[in-house]
Amino acid sequence: MTDIRVAVVDDHPVFRLGMVALLSTLDGIEVVAEASSAAEAATAVTGDVDVVLMDIELGDGSGVEATRDLLARLPAVRVLMVTMHEDDDALLASVRAGARGYLVKGAGPEEVERALRAVAHGDLFLGAAVAERAMGFLASPRGAVPAVFPELTDREREILDLVAAGHDTATISRRLILSPKTVRNHTSNILTKLGVPDRSAAIVRAREAGLG
């Protein structure tokens, strides 16, 4: 009897097909949907799905944004992020988006099964390759942005901190796993809320407040 219904979302066909083949060998697990993009995932993933294996980088956007949109529509679905990256920013962005697990693509079959079952049952799963580093990151103050500019949202303050540090839109997009368009929209909102004419003026204001 199937007790965990899975959707696999990955824009790399070889990896996606390989993951589907692996999951089909596991007792009590059935792949009920596949998608190669965020757009396909929006229609392929329904309330019949228990767990989504979500690639963090999709051809038409970010798996983090796709996860956020998916959970807004189907809050009972659990997301296990699958990625080539072990960096802190990608992990933090995934957890903030609501993902319940974070697994590196180099993980073996046993770890994939363990992650899938853990997430399906409501546990938070971090692969062995990232768990120790994640604990160190969460325990460190380096990820915190000072609580300045209360008129900004947490995400806007985070982006302003990176802008003040001299990062361009493309770099911020990669670090926060957001699309460039989303970063530009947030930046425009920041300028409006701070009442400054451009990024240079925003950088001056941010650095005076201790950001960057």
Side-chain angles (χ1 to χ4, degrees), residues 6-8 12-27 29-34 53 109 112-113 116:
V6 180
V8 180
H12 195 294
V14 174
F15 179 84
R16 188 176 68 255
L17 292 173
M19 180 61 72
V20 170
L22 169 63
L23 297 181
S24 69
T25 68
L26 304 179
D27 292 338
I29 294 175
E30 179 185 5
V31 176
V32 296
E34 296 180 47
L53 270 68
V112 171
E113 180 178 6
L116 183 60

Side-chain angles (χ1 to χ4, degrees), residues 10-11 17 20 26 44 81 102-103 116 171 180 185-186 190:
D10 197 292
D11 65 346
L17 292 173
V20 170
L26 304 179
M81 199 68 72
Y102 189 91
L103 188 67
L116 183 60
T171 301
N185 288 342
H186 280 305
I190 290 168

Side-chain angles (χ1 to χ4, degrees), residues 6 12 22 36 70 72 77 88 93 95 164-165 182 195-196 199 203:
V6 180
H12 195 294
L22 169 63
S36 62
L70 173 65
V77 172
D88 299 327
V95 173
T182 297
V196 294
R199 286 172 66 106
I203 289 172

Side-chain angles (χ1 to χ4, degrees), residues 26 80 108-120 125 127-128:
L26 304 179
L80 172 61
E110 291 183 359
E111 189 172 12
V112 171
E113 180 178 6
R114 189 164 64 251
L116 183 60
R117 295 190 187 279
V119 169
F125 184 93

Side-chain angles (χ1 to χ4, degrees), residues 9 35 37-46 54 60 66 69-70 73-74:
V9 181
S37 66
E40 286 184 11
T43 56
V45 179
T46 67
M54 178 75 74
D60 62 343
D69 293 342
L70 173 65
R73 179 169 58 90
L74 299 169

